[in-house]
Amino acid sequence: MASMIAVPASAESFEPVKDLADETTIDIDPVGTYHAGLWGKSAAEIVAYHPGSKRIFTVNAEAGAVDILDASDPSSPTKVGVIEAAGAAVSDGSTIAPGAPINSVSMRPDGLGVAAVENPVSTDPGYLLFFNAATGENLGAVPAGAMPDMVKISHDGQWAVSANEGEPADDYSVDPEGSLTVVELPATVRLPDAARQVDFHAFEGAELPGVRIFGGREDAATGTPKFPVSENLEPEYVTIEGTTAYVSLQENNAIATVDLAAGEVTDISSLGTVSGMDVAFDISNKDDEINRINIPVNYLRQPDSIASVNINGTTYILTANEGDARDYDAYSEEARIKDLGDEAPGLCEDNPLRDVLDYDKKSVAGRLKITLADGYDAERDCYAATYAYGTRSMTIFTEDFEVVFDTGEEFEALTERVLPEAFNSNGTTDSFDSRSDDKGPEPEGLTVGTVGSHTYAFIGFERIGGIAIYDITDPAAPTYQAYINNRDFSVDPETDLAAAGDVGPEGLAFVPADESADGTPWLIVGNEMTGTTTIYSLTDLDPQPAEPTEPAEPAEPTDPAEPTEPAAPTSPAEPSGEPTAQPSTPPGSAEPTVDPTVEPTDPTTPSRQEPSRETTGVPSSQPSPTSTAKPGSLARTGAPVGFLIAWGGAAIIAGTLLIRRARMS
C-alpha cells in the first residue's frame, strides 16, 4: 500500500500532503518559497532558471515584469531585481508601451533570456524581450505576433520560438491570426538581429481531419476573414527537439509541427478524444459527493502545456490535457447537457447518452459543460454526439501523434484517495467538488527531467493543486511515483495569504543536480493564484552503483606441454610458476554489474467503491533488479584462477623434467 506522509515546509507552519507509491524511485520535498504577496494577480506564472547566477526568473504577468530571485540559498529565495517590459526599445524603432503584460520566460545557459510580451491592446502584435540573466540588463525587443502566450529556447540554444495565440476581441470586432515567431539566436548574449513571423496560410482550404476550426468571425457574424483557418488556430505552448518545434493549438485540439530552419509549419495533427465509457470522471458539482461515472460522452484532449523528450533515440511528445472553451461576449461554444433541447438543439434519437437514465439531471450528467461546436447534425437539427473539454489526463504521443500512453482516470483517482475532502476543488476552502462539471483537477503545467537513471514527467494540477510525478523511462508503460500538495486547505488565502501555501501551479521548471545551488535536482514551480515560487528538492531513491573497470585479460603464455631440451645447460633455473602478466585487479573481485532498469507495470483501473491504494489506478513501480554477485566471490573469477593453477602446474612439471635430464647427462 502507498504511504501518505506529512512533511514540514521550510517557511510554512502547515504540513503539506505527500503521497509515495510503493517502492518509488524518487522523493520530493519543498525547500523554500518566495512570496510575491498578491492573491489572484498572476504574480508568479512561468519560471526559468539560470545556473550561472543561481537565479530564478518568475513571470509577474500583471505587473508587466519578470521578478529576479536569488536562489543561492534555496531555503530562502529572495527578490533581487526586476526586468520591466515598458519602455524597452524594439528593433523596428518602436518602444513597448506601459501596461504590456508578460506571459512567459525562457533561459539559455549562458544567460541570454527572453520573455513573451503581450501588447497592451491584446489583438495587436506583441514582442519578444531579451535580457542578460547575469546582470539583469534589458537588451531590447523584436516584434512578435498577436498575444505571444509562450516562448521557448531550444536545448542547443540556437532558436527561440513563441506561440502567438491571437485570441479575438470579446466583441469579435477583431480576430488576429494565430502565428509563430521564430528567432535564430546569436552566439553571444545580445539582442538578435531579426525575427521571422511564421503563419498558417498554407493550410487555408486544406483537409484537417479532427482539427477543430470553429467560432471565428463568421460564426460571430462580425466579418468574413481572408484567412479563416489562420484566424481560427490559436497556438498555446511550444516544445523543441533539434530543428523541429511542436506547438499546441489548445482550442483546436491539435499540435502543429514546425521546421525551424525552413521557417514553416509542415503539419497540423488532431489529438483525438477519449471515450467516457473508458474513463470514470465525476461530472457533477451539485451532488455533494465523489461520484466518478462512465458515460457516453467524448472528452477532447486540448492540452495547454506540452513537453518533449528523446528516449533511446525516439522523440515523444507529452501533453497536459487541461481543456479550454471559447467563451466571449459575441460568441460562446459553452453549454451544459441539461440545456440541450431548451437553449440549444437536443440530442438525436440515436445519441447513446439518451440511454443513460436521468442523464440530464444535475446529479448525473446535467451539469457537465460541453461544446455546441462539435457533434451537431445539421440535417436533423440535433446532437448526434456529445463532446466535453479536457481529458483530465497526461498523454504520451510518438512524433507522428500515435498514442503511446494515457493516464486515463488516474489523476482523479489519485486526488480522490489522497485528498478526498478537497476533491475537484478550486484550490480554496469549502470548494469540494466545485470543478467536477468543468475539467476536474485541470492538469496544466508539465515538464520532464532525469534523476539518476530514470526519466520523469512532472504534472501540475491547476485547481486542486499539487504535483504528480510519473516515471516515463519506458514511455509505453509509465508508472506513478509520487504526489505532493504544498497547500493548507484550512486557510482561506484571501484572508491569510502567507499561511495558505501554494495555489494554482502554472509553470514548472526542472533543474539538474549539476546546475542547482545545493547539488541536488530541483523542481521549481510558479503558482499563479498565490503568487508563490516554490523550490522542491528531488531525491533519487534508486541510486546506481559505480561502474568498476573491467579486469584486464592476462597475457597468453606459451604452451608448456612440450618443453624443448636445452643444448648444454650449466645450471638449471628454478621454475617460478608465475605467469608473465598479472590481472589488473586481484582474483576474486566482482565483474561490473549490469545497469538496473525499471520494469514498469500496466496501470490498473481504479475502483470508486474502495479508493484504496490497490484500486486507485495509481500503480507502484516495480523494484529494480539487483545483481546476485557478492563482492569477493570467486563465482565470476573461477575460470581465470583455474587457468593460472593449471599453467603453474605445467611449468613445475616441465622444470622437473629438465632437472632430471641434466642430472642424467
Side-chain angles (χ1 to χ4, degrees), residues 416-553:
E416 175 186 1
R417 175 174 60 82
V418 176
L419 282 168
E421 71 283 357
F423 177 79
N424 281 357
S425 74
N426 63 12
T428 59
T429 56
D430 301 323
S431 60
F432 165 80
D433 204 29
S434 62
R435 301 296 299 181
S436 290
D437 63 320
D438 191 14
K439 300 174 284 188
E442 294 189 37
E444 179 174 14
L446 173 67
T447 193
V448 297
T450 297
V451 178
S453 62
H454 299 263
T455 301
Y456 298 97
F458 304 89
I459 310 102
F461 299 162
E462 181 181 11
R463 294 296 173 169
I464 188 174
I467 308 296
I469 306 176
Y470 275 68
D471 186 337
I472 62 166
T473 307
D474 179 355
T479 54
Y480 165 77
Q481 298 294 309
Y483 172 77
I484 191 166
N485 196 316
N486 194 39
R487 166 81 173 91
D488 187 345
F489 285 90
S490 69
V491 174
D492 184 350
E494 296 191 56
T495 59
D496 192 356
L497 181 59
D502 297 333
V503 179
E506 176 92 4
L508 283 67
F510 174 80
V511 178
D514 60 356
E515 295 183 1
S516 75
D518 61 4
T520 63
W522 289 351
L523 182 71
I524 305 173
V525 180
N527 300 282
E528 177 182 12
M529 295 302 293
T530 46
T532 50
T533 302
T534 296
I535 301 171
Y536 292 89
S537 178
L538 303 169
T539 303
D540 182 14
L541 299 182
D542 186 29
Q544 301 301 300
E547 289 288 334
T549 57
E550 185 75 18
E553 290 292 330

Side-chain angles (χ1 to χ4, degrees), residues 235-507:
E236 186 84 23
Y237 210 91
V238 180
T239 186
I240 304 172
E241 288 295 320
T243 59
T244 301
Y246 302 95
V247 182
S248 63
L249 310 169
Q250 185 172 27
E251 288 81 359
N252 311 104
N253 195 37
I255 286 184
T257 303
V258 185
D259 183 332
L260 297 179
E264 62 181 17
V265 181
T266 58
D267 198 12
I268 300 176
S269 305
S270 170
L271 298 181
T273 62
V274 171
S275 170
M277 298 306 293
D278 296 328
V279 291
F281 295 146
D282 188 331
I283 56 177
S284 174
N285 64 335
K286 295 296 184 181
D287 56 0
D288 298 321
E289 63 178 350
I290 299 175
N291 183 29
R292 298 192 299 110
I293 63 173
N294 295 102
I295 200 160
V297 299
N298 304 290
Y299 296 98
L300 298 158
R301 284 194 167 90
Q302 297 186 300
D304 186 332
S305 299
I306 62 175
S308 56
V309 63
N310 189 290
I311 298 178
N312 297 327
T314 301
T315 295
Y316 297 92
I317 315 299
L318 290 76
T319 62
N321 304 319
E322 177 198 27
D324 200 9
R326 286 182 175 155
D327 185 22
Y328 300 95
D329 291 343
Y331 173 85
S332 177
E333 63 173 304
E334 278 193 342
R336 296 187 189 273
I337 285 178
K338 69 179 182 62
D339 298 330
L340 298 179
D342 182 13
E343 300 177 12
L347 299 182
C348 298
E349 290 297 325
D350 55 352
N351 188 316
L353 192 55
R354 279 188 171 273
D355 297 331
V356 178
L357 182 65
D358 295 331
Y359 72 88
D360 57 346
K361 302 300 182 186
K362 67 179 182 180
S363 59
V364 184
R367 295 288 300 173
L368 180 64
K369 287 187 177 180
I370 59 168
T371 175
L372 299 177
D374 294 277
Y376 178 64
D377 186 326
E379 285 189 13
R380 295 187 287 170
D381 188 30
C382 58
Y383 282 89
T386 316
Y387 292 84
Y389 309 104
T391 57
R392 313 183 186 194
S393 68
M394 175 190 72
T395 306
I396 301 179
F397 295 91
T398 67
E399 58 187 336
D400 296 323
F401 294 100
E402 297 292 329
V403 175
V404 175
F405 174 81
D406 193 289
T407 58
E409 60 193 66
E410 290 183 23
F411 292 167
E412 277 205 358
L414 168 65
T415 53
E416 175 186 1
R417 175 174 60 82
V418 176
L419 282 168
E421 71 283 357
F423 177 79
N424 281 357
S425 74
N426 63 12
T428 59
T429 56
D430 301 323
S431 60
F432 165 80
D433 204 29
S434 62
R435 301 296 299 181
S436 290
D437 63 320
D438 191 14
K439 300 174 284 188
E442 294 189 37
E444 179 174 14
L446 173 67
T447 193
V448 297
T450 297
V451 178
S453 62
H454 299 263
T455 301
Y456 298 97
F458 304 89
I459 310 102
F461 299 162
E462 181 181 11
R463 294 296 173 169
I464 188 174
I467 308 296
I469 306 176
Y470 275 68
D471 186 337
I472 62 166
T473 307
D474 179 355
T479 54
Y480 165 77
Q481 298 294 309
Y483 172 77
I484 191 166
N485 196 316
N486 194 39
R487 166 81 173 91
D488 187 345
F489 285 90
S490 69
V491 174
D492 184 350
E494 296 191 56
T495 59
D496 192 356
L497 181 59
D502 297 333
V503 179
E506 176 92 4

